[in-house]
Amino acid sequence: MTAAATHPAHDSRHALVLFSGGQDSTACLAWALDRYAHVETVGFDYGQRHRVELGCREPIRQAMAGLNPDWAARLGDDHLLDLGIVGQLGNSALTEERAIQMDDNGLPNTFVPGRNLLFLTVAAALAYRRAASVLVGGMCETDYSGYPDCRDNTLKAMQVALSLGLATPLTLETPLMFLTKAQTWALSHALGGAALNRLIVDLTHTCYLGEREPLHSWGRGCGSCPACLLRKSGHASWLRHSGEGAA
Ligand code: ZN
């Protein structure tokens, strides 16, 4: 399978991508660069244990611009916002040194209640300031349906609330919402070919423990935390179904 030819942006709107430096948000950035005339990125520093991913953001942006001159022309400013209040809310394995496990309520203890609602609200305010009318996020119901603020209905409700509250139409796009992790690898391959998937393996961050070594065929990380396991199995599944062993 060869990379899908990148078509000229067919949507003149400006988009703001919630960009963490992980696999999902990098796939979303590629998706947005393929569609929109102008694409900016926003990241949040909330005291996450895997803060190392924030340092991955700019190298990924630069590498993606280097993959495709159209993407380079469309890629705009990056914004990094301090949301330390998330860490102050406490009691999450995402921001504290605790073992990652499932809680009695069926949610992983990496769950930070309302985190994505906060992110979307802040991103929408920034989008307003930057004259962007589309927010793109990597929220996903598949695989990790444990996060209620990532569900499609939550996002649809947020789109209405934010559009009303800002008195301007705002579209929330979640291209990964119903994709498995294997399908996310397939999406990035369709958008940027083997070069983009190699970039994702090498430069993006997923590991909850913040580990960047060793480099596996599926990416960097400890190889045993839930985020690493999900990424590893998704990549293996994609390889099985695509025959893209070299990617
Ligand atoms: Zn890990």
Side-chain angles (χ1 to χ4, degrees), residues 97-242:
E97 288 289 332
R98 293 167 54 194
I100 296 168
Q101 59 192 36
M102 296 302 283
D103 280 340
D104 293 340
N105 60 6
L107 294 176
N109 67 347
T110 47
F111 178 61
V112 178
R115 180 180 61 141
N116 282 303
L117 304 182
L118 180 64
F119 286 179
L120 287 166
T121 303
V122 172
L126 178 64
Y128 186 96
R129 289 285 187 221
R130 303 297 299 176
S133 58
V134 182
L135 283 183
V136 182
M139 296 79 174
C140 173
E141 276 198 7
T142 322
D143 293 328
Y144 248 144
S145 52
Y147 293 129
D149 57 347
C150 289
R151 291 179 188 150
D152 195 46
N153 277 344
T154 305
L155 275 288
K156 286 189 163 67
M158 283 299 282
Q159 175 174 279
V160 174
L162 292 168
S163 294
L164 289 173
L166 295 168
T168 187
L170 187 72
T171 304
L172 299 192
E173 290 285 3
T174 54
L176 311 186
M177 181 57 73
F178 300 107
L179 301 189
T180 63
K181 291 298 173 194
Q183 289 170 326
T184 299
W185 286 107
L187 172 68
S188 51
H189 191 274
L191 290 166
L196 178 58
N197 274 11
R198 206 154 36 237
L199 180 161
I200 289 172
V201 165
D202 196 37
L203 297 182
T204 68
H205 186 79
T206 297
C207 179
Y208 274 152
L209 305 182
E211 303 209 359
R212 295 292 293 152
E213 301 293 339
L215 174 61
H216 310 269
S217 61
W218 45 268
R220 298 177 181 278
C222 73
S224 53
C225 77
C228 280
L229 291 176
L230 193 62
R231 178 159 166 170
K232 183 179 176 179
S233 68
H235 189 258
S237 172
W238 174 66
L239 286 183
R240 271 198 307 279
H241 291 104
S242 72

Side-chain angles (χ1 to χ4, degrees), residues 10-99:
H10 62 254
D11 192 321
S12 61
R13 289 179 296 173
H14 291 192
L16 177 65
V17 178
L18 282 75
F19 179 57
S20 68
Q23 176 188 354
D24 289 350
S25 64
T26 299
C28 285
L29 178 55
W31 183 88
L33 287 169
D34 199 49
R35 272 162 188 74
Y36 299 105
H38 182 76
V39 179
E40 298 190 12
T41 50
V42 60
F44 303 108
D45 184 352
Y46 56 96
Q48 57 268 56
R49 282 165 73 180
H50 52 303
R51 285 182 88 260
V52 61
E53 75 178 357
L54 295 178
C56 299
R57 299 172 71 256
E58 192 51 36
I60 295 169
R61 282 171 40 93
Q62 289 183 13
M64 288 182 69
L67 283 184
N68 182 323
D70 290 331
W71 291 3
R74 295 171 199 159
L75 183 61
D77 289 347
D78 180 46
H79 311 268
L80 183 64
L81 302 179
D82 180 358
L83 284 184
I85 189 173
V86 172
Q88 292 171 32
L89 295 170
N91 205 31
S92 165
L94 210 55
T95 52
E96 296 173 9
E97 288 289 332
R98 293 167 54 194

